[in-house]
Amino acid sequence: MRGTRHGPAVRRRKLGEELRALRLAAGLTSRDAARLVGWHQSKVSRIETGTSGVTGADVARLLDAYGVHEPGSRALLEALAGAADGGGGGWWHAYRGVLPPPYQDFISLEAQACRARTLETSVVPGLLQTSAYARAVTRAALEGVPAETVDSLVRVRIARQEVLRADPPLRLEAVLDEAVLRRQVGGPEVMREQLRRLLEWSRLPHVRLQVLPFALGEYVGLSGSFVIFSFPNISDLDVVALDHLTSSLYLERTEDLEAYGAAFRTMQARALSPGDTSDLIAGIGDGA
């Protein structure tokens, strides 16, 4: 499907497009760029079209040749080179034996993003889950998986939450269907703990939590969950992640990004305010 790719392919193409734009801005042809870094012209072309992988060191050489010295932009583009190869340099690489490649791609994007907008229709977002809740969800989704694998996946889920404690932290805007709060995942005690944790997360200035109440009826995102990742300095690198049971897909076309962005804004406008959301969570927790 055009515009729908797996994580590394999206990163390679986006990175290539940005490098091409920087080369053109520097007034260089691909032949000029190749000569400056000592490569064959075809390598530059393959990198720019996303058909070839590229290392962070290669990106740094190109940026030097293009006169790009701004630290933030360089750090992002060099990090994207790692994501384009599956994010092998991240902390999650230690869990590569249990993490399927699509999940590694997702974590890589999440780790590099400055903002995430997510709609969840069935479970609490992974970044906001407690260990007990994450364990219950993982066991249900991967029935029959060995206990040690479940343990590893839960550790990964909790480790991902460090992006919310980083400096600067990931800015998270989450819209939840009320069903997320009322589904008894793991039993009453697990849910009480999870709802208390949601209240704690919601008090952070960089976390905005809103609920779409049952009384609202149908809404534009009812058909499924998604995440929109945004990245610092370069808005063209935004991507929509659609998570499935066995894989993740990524939408990168401008029209897709605009459609999902508009849908998310609509849902935020129709959802309960953050304050009313906290009141609802507290009320459900008291009666859970």
Short mmCIF file of all heavy atoms in Angstrom, two decimals, residues 180-236:
data_model
loop_
_atom_site.label_atom_id
_atom_site.label_comp_id
_atom_site.label_asym_id
_atom_site.label_seq_id
_atom_site.Cartn_x
_atom_site.Cartn_y
_atom_site.Cartn_z
N VAL A 180 -11.60 1.80 28.39
CA VAL A 180 -10.25 1.55 28.91
C VAL A 180 -10.24 1.58 30.43
O VAL A 180 -9.56 0.79 31.09
CB VAL A 180 -9.26 2.59 28.34
CG1 VAL A 180 -7.90 2.48 29.01
CG2 VAL A 180 -9.12 2.43 26.83
N LEU A 181 -11.01 2.49 31.00
CA LEU A 181 -11.04 2.65 32.45
C LEU A 181 -11.90 1.60 33.15
O LEU A 181 -11.67 1.30 34.32
CB LEU A 181 -11.58 4.04 32.81
CG LEU A 181 -10.90 5.24 32.15
CD1 LEU A 181 -11.57 6.53 32.60
CD2 LEU A 181 -9.41 5.26 32.47
N ARG A 182 -12.86 1.07 32.46
CA ARG A 182 -13.84 0.17 33.09
C ARG A 182 -13.55 -1.32 32.84
O ARG A 182 -14.10 -2.16 33.55
CB ARG A 182 -15.25 0.52 32.62
CG ARG A 182 -15.67 1.93 33.04
CD ARG A 182 -17.14 2.18 32.83
NE ARG A 182 -17.53 3.53 33.23
CZ ARG A 182 -17.82 3.90 34.48
NH1 ARG A 182 -17.76 3.02 35.46
NH2 ARG A 182 -18.17 5.15 34.75
N ARG A 183 -12.73 -1.63 31.87
CA ARG A 183 -12.38 -3.03 31.62
C ARG A 183 -11.51 -3.54 32.76
O ARG A 183 -10.47 -2.97 33.06
CB ARG A 183 -11.67 -3.18 30.28
CG ARG A 183 -11.27 -4.61 29.96
CD ARG A 183 -10.76 -4.76 28.54
NE ARG A 183 -11.87 -4.66 27.60
CZ ARG A 183 -12.12 -3.60 26.82
NH1 ARG A 183 -11.33 -2.55 26.89
NH2 ARG A 183 -13.13 -3.59 25.99
N GLN A 184 -11.92 -4.64 33.38
CA GLN A 184 -11.22 -5.18 34.55
C GLN A 184 -10.01 -6.02 34.14
O GLN A 184 -10.01 -7.24 34.28
CB GLN A 184 -12.19 -5.99 35.41
CG GLN A 184 -13.24 -5.17 36.12
CD GLN A 184 -12.63 -4.34 37.25
OE1 GLN A 184 -12.00 -4.88 38.15
NE2 GLN A 184 -12.84 -3.03 37.20
N VAL A 185 -8.99 -5.36 33.66
CA VAL A 185 -7.76 -6.05 33.28
C VAL A 185 -7.00 -6.45 34.53
O VAL A 185 -6.66 -5.59 35.35
CB VAL A 185 -6.88 -5.15 32.39
CG1 VAL A 185 -5.54 -5.81 32.13
CG2 VAL A 185 -7.60 -4.83 31.09
N GLY A 186 -6.78 -7.74 34.72
CA GLY A 186 -6.02 -8.22 35.87
C GLY A 186 -6.80 -8.31 37.15
O GLY A 186 -6.26 -8.73 38.18
N GLY A 187 -8.06 -7.88 37.16
CA GLY A 187 -8.87 -7.94 38.37
C GLY A 187 -8.97 -6.59 39.06
O GLY A 187 -8.26 -5.64 38.73
N PRO A 188 -9.87 -6.51 40.06
CA PRO A 188 -10.15 -5.22 40.72
C PRO A 188 -8.94 -4.53 41.34
O PRO A 188 -8.77 -3.32 41.18
CB PRO A 188 -11.17 -5.61 41.81
CG PRO A 188 -11.83 -6.84 41.26
CD PRO A 188 -10.76 -7.58 40.54
N GLU A 189 -8.08 -5.28 42.03
CA GLU A 189 -6.95 -4.63 42.70
C GLU A 189 -5.95 -4.08 41.68
O GLU A 189 -5.41 -2.97 41.86
CB GLU A 189 -6.25 -5.62 43.63
CG GLU A 189 -5.13 -4.98 44.45
CD GLU A 189 -5.58 -3.72 45.19
OE1 GLU A 189 -6.68 -3.72 45.77
OE2 GLU A 189 -4.81 -2.73 45.19
N VAL A 190 -5.71 -4.83 40.63
CA VAL A 190 -4.81 -4.34 39.58
C VAL A 190 -5.37 -3.07 38.96
O VAL A 190 -4.63 -2.11 38.69
CB VAL A 190 -4.60 -5.43 38.50
CG1 VAL A 190 -3.88 -4.86 37.28
CG2 VAL A 190 -3.79 -6.59 39.08
N MET A 191 -6.70 -3.06 38.74
CA MET A 191 -7.31 -1.87 38.15
C MET A 191 -7.29 -0.68 39.08
O MET A 191 -7.07 0.46 38.64
CB MET A 191 -8.75 -2.17 37.71
CG MET A 191 -8.85 -2.91 36.39
SD MET A 191 -7.97 -2.10 35.02
CE MET A 191 -8.78 -0.50 34.92
N ARG A 192 -7.49 -0.91 40.36
CA ARG A 192 -7.42 0.21 41.31
C ARG A 192 -6.03 0.84 41.28
O ARG A 192 -5.89 2.07 41.26
CB ARG A 192 -7.77 -0.27 42.72
CG ARG A 192 -9.27 -0.30 42.99
CD ARG A 192 -9.54 -0.47 44.48
NE ARG A 192 -9.18 -1.81 44.93
CZ ARG A 192 -10.03 -2.84 44.96
NH1 ARG A 192 -11.27 -2.67 44.52
NH2 ARG A 192 -9.64 -4.03 45.38
N GLU A 193 -5.00 -0.01 41.28
CA GLU A 193 -3.63 0.50 41.22
C GLU A 193 -3.39 1.24 39.91
O GLU A 193 -2.77 2.31 39.89
CB GLU A 193 -2.63 -0.64 41.35
CG GLU A 193 -1.17 -0.19 41.29
CD GLU A 193 -0.18 -1.33 41.15
OE1 GLU A 193 -0.61 -2.46 40.82
OE2 GLU A 193 1.02 -1.08 41.34
N GLN A 194 -3.91 0.69 38.82
CA GLN A 194 -3.70 1.32 37.52
C GLN A 194 -4.39 2.68 37.44
O GLN A 194 -3.84 3.64 36.91
CB GLN A 194 -4.22 0.41 36.41
CG GLN A 194 -4.08 0.99 35.01
CD GLN A 194 -2.66 1.27 34.61
OE1 GLN A 194 -1.90 0.36 34.31
NE2 GLN A 194 -2.25 2.54 34.62
N LEU A 195 -5.59 2.77 37.95
CA LEU A 195 -6.31 4.05 37.92
C LEU A 195 -5.62 5.09 38.80
O LEU A 195 -5.55 6.27 38.44
CB LEU A 195 -7.76 3.84 38.37
CG LEU A 195 -8.61 2.99 37.41
CD1 LEU A 195 -9.98 2.70 38.02
CD2 LEU A 195 -8.76 3.68 36.06
N ARG A 196 -5.08 4.65 39.95
CA ARG A 196 -4.31 5.58 40.78
C ARG A 196 -3.07 6.08 40.03
O ARG A 196 -2.73 7.26 40.09
CB ARG A 196 -3.89 4.90 42.10
CG ARG A 196 -5.01 4.71 43.10
CD ARG A 196 -4.47 4.38 44.48
NE ARG A 196 -3.75 3.10 44.49
CZ ARG A 196 -4.31 1.92 44.76
NH1 ARG A 196 -5.62 1.85 45.03
NH2 ARG A 196 -3.60 0.82 44.76
N ARG A 197 -2.42 5.17 39.30
CA ARG A 197 -1.24 5.56 38.54
C ARG A 197 -1.59 6.54 37.42
O ARG A 197 -0.84 7.48 37.14
CB ARG A 197 -0.56 4.32 37.96
CG ARG A 197 0.75 4.60 37.22
CD ARG A 197 1.84 5.13 38.16
NE ARG A 197 2.11 4.19 39.22
CZ ARG A 197 2.89 3.10 39.09
NH1 ARG A 197 3.51 2.87 37.93
NH2 ARG A 197 3.10 2.31 40.10
N LEU A 198 -2.74 6.33 36.78
CA LEU A 198 -3.17 7.28 35.74
C LEU A 198 -3.34 8.67 36.32
O LEU A 198 -2.96 9.67 35.69
CB LEU A 198 -4.49 6.82 35.12
CG LEU A 198 -4.41 5.71 34.07
CD1 LEU A 198 -5.82 5.35 33.60
CD2 LEU A 198 -3.55 6.13 32.89
N LEU A 199 -3.90 8.76 37.51
CA LEU A 199 -4.06 10.06 38.16
C LEU A 199 -2.70 10.70 38.43
O LEU A 199 -2.52 11.91 38.27
CB LEU A 199 -4.86 9.91 39.45
CG LEU A 199 -6.35 9.63 39.29
CD1 LEU A 199 -6.99 9.35 40.65
CD2 LEU A 199 -7.04 10.80 38.61
N GLU A 200 -1.73 9.89 38.85
CA GLU A 200 -0.39 10.41 39.12
C GLU A 200 0.25 10.94 37.84
O GLU A 200 0.82 12.04 37.82
CB GLU A 200 0.48 9.31 39.73
CG GLU A 200 0.04 8.87 41.12
CD GLU A 200 0.80 7.65 41.61
OE1 GLU A 200 1.71 7.18 40.88
OE2 GLU A 200 0.49 7.15 42.71
N TRP A 201 0.16 10.15 36.76
CA TRP A 201 0.72 10.59 35.49
C TRP A 201 0.06 11.88 35.01
O TRP A 201 0.72 12.78 34.47
CB TRP A 201 0.54 9.52 34.42
CG TRP A 201 1.46 8.34 34.49
CD1 TRP A 201 1.10 7.02 34.64
CD2 TRP A 201 2.89 8.32 34.37
NE1 TRP A 201 2.20 6.21 34.63
CE2 TRP A 201 3.31 6.98 34.46
CE3 TRP A 201 3.84 9.32 34.19
CZ2 TRP A 201 4.65 6.62 34.37
CZ3 TRP A 201 5.18 8.96 34.11
CH2 TRP A 201 5.58 7.63 34.19
N SER A 202 -1.26 11.97 35.20
CA SER A 202 -2.01 13.11 34.67
C SER A 202 -1.63 14.42 35.35
O SER A 202 -1.94 15.50 34.82
CB SER A 202 -3.52 12.87 34.82
OG SER A 202 -3.93 12.92 36.18
N ARG A 203 -1.00 14.36 36.50
CA ARG A 203 -0.60 15.58 37.21
C ARG A 203 0.69 16.17 36.66
O ARG A 203 1.06 17.29 37.00
CB ARG A 203 -0.45 15.28 38.71
CG ARG A 203 -1.76 14.86 39.38
CD ARG A 203 -1.61 14.75 40.88
NE ARG A 203 -2.81 14.20 41.49
CZ ARG A 203 -2.92 12.96 41.95
NH1 ARG A 203 -1.87 12.14 41.91
NH2 ARG A 203 -4.05 12.53 42.47
N LEU A 204 1.38 15.42 35.82
CA LEU A 204 2.62 15.93 35.24
C LEU A 204 2.29 16.97 34.16
O LEU A 204 1.35 16.78 33.38
CB LEU A 204 3.44 14.79 34.62
CG LEU A 204 3.94 13.71 35.58
CD1 LEU A 204 4.67 12.63 34.82
CD2 LEU A 204 4.84 14.32 36.64
N PRO A 205 3.04 18.05 34.08
CA PRO A 205 2.71 19.12 33.14
C PRO A 205 2.81 18.70 31.67
O PRO A 205 2.19 19.33 30.80
CB PRO A 205 3.72 20.22 33.47
CG PRO A 205 4.84 19.51 34.15
CD PRO A 205 4.22 18.39 34.91
N HIS A 206 3.59 17.67 31.38
CA HIS A 206 3.77 17.25 30.00
C HIS A 206 2.88 16.06 29.61
O HIS A 206 3.05 15.48 28.54
CB HIS A 206 5.24 16.90 29.72
CG HIS A 206 5.81 15.90 30.67
ND1 HIS A 206 6.24 16.22 31.93
CD2 HIS A 206 6.01 14.56 30.56
CE1 HIS A 206 6.69 15.15 32.54
NE2 HIS A 206 6.56 14.13 31.73
N VAL A 207 1.95 15.70 30.48
CA VAL A 207 1.00 14.62 30.18
C VAL A 207 -0.41 15.18 30.21
O VAL A 207 -0.85 15.74 31.22
CB VAL A 207 1.12 13.46 31.19
CG1 VAL A 207 0.04 12.40 30.92
CG2 VAL A 207 2.51 12.82 31.12
N ARG A 208 -1.11 15.05 29.09
CA ARG A 208 -2.50 15.52 28.99
C ARG A 208 -3.37 14.29 28.74
O ARG A 208 -3.23 13.62 27.72
CB ARG A 208 -2.65 16.54 27.86
CG ARG A 208 -4.08 17.07 27.68
CD ARG A 208 -4.17 18.03 26.50
NE ARG A 208 -5.52 18.51 26.29
CZ ARG A 208 -6.04 19.59 26.85
NH1 ARG A 208 -5.28 20.32 27.64
NH2 ARG A 208 -7.28 19.96 26.60
N LEU A 209 -4.26 14.03 29.67
CA LEU A 209 -5.10 12.84 29.61
C LEU A 209 -6.56 13.24 29.53
O LEU A 209 -7.04 14.05 30.33
CB LEU A 209 -4.85 11.98 30.86
CG LEU A 209 -5.43 10.58 30.91
CD1 LEU A 209 -4.88 9.73 29.76
CD2 LEU A 209 -5.09 9.93 32.25
N GLN A 210 -7.26 12.70 28.52
CA GLN A 210 -8.68 12.99 28.34
C GLN A 210 -9.43 11.70 28.02
O GLN A 210 -8.88 10.78 27.41
CB GLN A 210 -8.90 14.00 27.21
CG GLN A 210 -8.35 15.39 27.49
CD GLN A 210 -8.58 16.32 26.32
OE1 GLN A 210 -7.69 16.53 25.51
NE2 GLN A 210 -9.79 16.87 26.22
N VAL A 211 -10.70 11.67 28.42
CA VAL A 211 -11.53 10.48 28.20
C VAL A 211 -12.72 10.82 27.32
O VAL A 211 -13.35 11.87 27.48
CB VAL A 211 -12.01 9.89 29.55
CG1 VAL A 211 -13.10 8.84 29.32
CG2 VAL A 211 -10.84 9.28 30.29
N LEU A 212 -13.00 9.92 26.40
CA LEU A 212 -14.22 9.99 25.58
C LEU A 212 -15.27 9.16 26.30
O LEU A 212 -15.19 7.92 26.31
CB LEU A 212 -13.96 9.44 24.18
CG LEU A 212 -13.04 10.29 23.31
CD1 LEU A 212 -12.46 9.45 22.17
CD2 LEU A 212 -13.79 11.49 22.75
N PRO A 213 -16.26 9.80 26.93
CA PRO A 213 -17.24 9.06 27.74
C PRO A 213 -18.22 8.27 26.87
O PRO A 213 -18.46 8.60 25.71
CB PRO A 213 -17.96 10.17 28.51
CG PRO A 213 -17.86 11.36 27.62
CD PRO A 213 -16.51 11.25 26.96
N PHE A 214 -18.78 7.22 27.46
CA PHE A 214 -19.77 6.41 26.76
C PHE A 214 -20.92 7.26 26.24
O PHE A 214 -21.46 7.01 25.16
CB PHE A 214 -20.33 5.33 27.69
CG PHE A 214 -19.36 4.20 27.96
CD1 PHE A 214 -19.40 3.54 29.18
CD2 PHE A 214 -18.44 3.80 27.01
CE1 PHE A 214 -18.53 2.49 29.44
CE2 PHE A 214 -17.56 2.76 27.26
CZ PHE A 214 -17.61 2.09 28.49
N ALA A 215 -21.30 8.27 27.03
CA ALA A 215 -22.45 9.10 26.66
C ALA A 215 -22.23 9.84 25.34
O ALA A 215 -23.19 10.27 24.69
CB ALA A 215 -22.74 10.12 27.77
N LEU A 216 -20.97 9.96 24.92
CA LEU A 216 -20.67 10.64 23.67
C LEU A 216 -21.18 9.86 22.46
O LEU A 216 -21.46 10.42 21.41
CB LEU A 216 -19.16 10.85 23.56
CG LEU A 216 -18.63 11.55 22.31
CD1 LEU A 216 -19.14 13.00 22.26
CD2 LEU A 216 -17.10 11.54 22.30
N GLY A 217 -21.29 8.54 22.63
CA GLY A 217 -21.72 7.72 21.50
C GLY A 217 -20.56 7.45 20.57
O GLY A 217 -19.40 7.34 20.98
N GLU A 218 -20.86 7.37 19.27
CA GLU A 218 -19.79 7.08 18.31
C GLU A 218 -18.89 8.30 18.12
O GLU A 218 -19.29 9.43 18.36
CB GLU A 218 -20.40 6.67 16.96
CG GLU A 218 -21.09 7.78 16.19
CD GLU A 218 -22.51 8.06 16.69
OE1 GLU A 218 -22.95 7.40 17.65
OE2 GLU A 218 -23.17 8.93 16.10
N TYR A 219 -17.68 8.04 17.67
CA TYR A 219 -16.73 9.13 17.41
C TYR A 219 -15.79 8.69 16.31
O TYR A 219 -15.72 7.51 15.94
CB TYR A 219 -15.96 9.52 18.67
CG TYR A 219 -15.22 8.39 19.35
CD1 TYR A 219 -13.90 8.08 19.00
CD2 TYR A 219 -15.83 7.63 20.34
CE1 TYR A 219 -13.22 7.06 19.62
CE2 TYR A 219 -15.15 6.59 20.97
CZ TYR A 219 -13.85 6.31 20.61
OH TYR A 219 -13.18 5.28 21.22
N VAL A 220 -15.04 9.63 15.77
CA VAL A 220 -14.27 9.40 14.56
C VAL A 220 -13.20 8.32 14.71
O VAL A 220 -12.88 7.62 13.75
CB VAL A 220 -13.62 10.73 14.08
CG1 VAL A 220 -12.59 11.22 15.07
CG2 VAL A 220 -13.02 10.57 12.69
N GLY A 221 -12.66 8.13 15.91
CA GLY A 221 -11.59 7.16 16.07
C GLY A 221 -12.03 5.82 16.61
O GLY A 221 -11.19 5.00 17.00
N LEU A 222 -13.32 5.56 16.61
CA LEU A 222 -13.86 4.35 17.23
C LEU A 222 -13.31 3.08 16.61
O LEU A 222 -13.27 2.04 17.25
CB LEU A 222 -15.39 4.37 17.13
CG LEU A 222 -16.16 3.31 17.93
CD1 LEU A 222 -15.86 3.44 19.41
CD2 LEU A 222 -17.66 3.46 17.69
N SER A 223 -12.87 3.15 15.36
CA SER A 223 -12.46 1.94 14.65
C SER A 223 -11.09 1.40 15.06
O SER A 223 -10.75 0.27 14.73
CB SER A 223 -12.46 2.19 13.14
OG SER A 223 -11.56 3.23 12.81
N GLY A 224 -10.30 2.20 15.78
CA GLY A 224 -9.01 1.65 16.17
C GLY A 224 -8.04 2.66 16.75
O GLY A 224 -8.14 3.86 16.51
N SER A 225 -7.08 2.16 17.51
CA SER A 225 -6.09 2.99 18.18
C SER A 225 -4.98 3.41 17.21
O SER A 225 -4.74 2.75 16.20
CB SER A 225 -5.46 2.23 19.35
OG SER A 225 -6.46 1.80 20.27
N PHE A 226 -4.31 4.50 17.54
CA PHE A 226 -3.17 4.96 16.75
C PHE A 226 -2.32 5.89 17.58
O PHE A 226 -2.74 6.39 18.63
CB PHE A 226 -3.62 5.65 15.45
CG PHE A 226 -4.44 6.90 15.65
CD1 PHE A 226 -3.83 8.13 15.86
CD2 PHE A 226 -5.83 6.85 15.61
CE1 PHE A 226 -4.58 9.29 16.04
CE2 PHE A 226 -6.59 8.00 15.80
CZ PHE A 226 -5.97 9.21 16.01
N VAL A 227 -1.10 6.12 17.11
CA VAL A 227 -0.19 7.07 17.73
C VAL A 227 0.39 7.96 16.64
O VAL A 227 0.78 7.46 15.58
CB VAL A 227 0.98 6.38 18.47
CG1 VAL A 227 1.86 7.42 19.16
CG2 VAL A 227 0.46 5.37 19.48
N ILE A 228 0.44 9.26 16.90
CA ILE A 228 1.12 10.19 16.00
C ILE A 228 2.39 10.66 16.69
O ILE A 228 2.33 11.28 17.75
CB ILE A 228 0.25 11.42 15.67
CG1 ILE A 228 -1.13 11.00 15.15
CG2 ILE A 228 0.95 12.33 14.66
CD1 ILE A 228 -2.09 12.17 14.99
N PHE A 229 3.53 10.32 16.11
CA PHE A 229 4.81 10.75 16.66
C PHE A 229 5.28 12.01 15.95
O PHE A 229 5.23 12.10 14.72
CB PHE A 229 5.88 9.67 16.48
CG PHE A 229 5.71 8.48 17.37
CD1 PHE A 229 5.50 7.21 16.84
CD2 PHE A 229 5.77 8.61 18.75
CE1 PHE A 229 5.35 6.11 17.65
CE2 PHE A 229 5.62 7.51 19.59
CZ PHE A 229 5.41 6.25 19.03
N SER A 230 5.75 12.99 16.73
CA SER A 230 6.35 14.20 16.18
C SER A 230 7.77 14.30 16.71
O SER A 230 8.06 13.86 17.83
CB SER A 230 5.55 15.44 16.60
OG SER A 230 4.24 15.38 16.09
N PHE A 231 8.65 14.90 15.89
CA PHE A 231 10.06 14.94 16.22
C PHE A 231 10.57 16.37 16.26
O PHE A 231 10.05 17.24 15.54
CB PHE A 231 10.85 14.11 15.20
CG PHE A 231 10.41 12.68 15.17
CD1 PHE A 231 9.36 12.29 14.35
CD2 PHE A 231 10.99 11.74 15.98
CE1 PHE A 231 8.91 10.98 14.34
CE2 PHE A 231 10.56 10.42 15.98
CZ PHE A 231 9.52 10.05 15.16
N PRO A 232 11.57 16.64 17.10
CA PRO A 232 12.07 18.02 17.23
C PRO A 232 12.74 18.52 15.96
O PRO A 232 13.37 17.75 15.23
CB PRO A 232 13.08 17.91 18.38
CG PRO A 232 13.51 16.48 18.37
CD PRO A 232 12.30 15.70 17.95
N ASN A 233 12.55 19.79 15.71
CA ASN A 233 13.24 20.52 14.64
C ASN A 233 12.72 20.26 13.23
O ASN A 233 12.77 21.14 12.38
CB ASN A 233 14.76 20.23 14.66
CG ASN A 233 15.39 20.58 15.99
OD1 ASN A 233 15.11 21.61 16.56
ND2 ASN A 233 16.23 19.70 16.48
N ILE A 234 12.23 19.05 12.95
CA ILE A 234 11.86 18.70 11.57
C ILE A 234 10.46 18.14 11.55
O ILE A 234 10.23 16.95 11.81
CB ILE A 234 12.85 17.69 10.96
CG1 ILE A 234 14.29 18.21 11.08
CG2 ILE A 234 12.51 17.43 9.50
CD1 ILE A 234 15.33 17.22 10.67
N SER A 235 9.45 18.97 11.25
CA SER A 235 8.05 18.53 11.29
C SER A 235 7.74 17.50 10.22
O SER A 235 6.82 16.69 10.37
CB SER A 235 7.12 19.74 11.14
OG SER A 235 7.32 20.38 9.89
N ASP A 236 8.49 17.51 9.11
CA ASP A 236 8.22 16.58 8.02
C ASP A 236 8.48 15.14 8.41
O ASP A 236 8.14 14.22 7.66
CB ASP A 236 9.07 16.92 6.79
CG ASP A 236 8.57 18.17 6.08
OD1 ASP A 236 7.44 18.60 6.38
OD2 ASP A 236 9.31 18.71 5.24
#
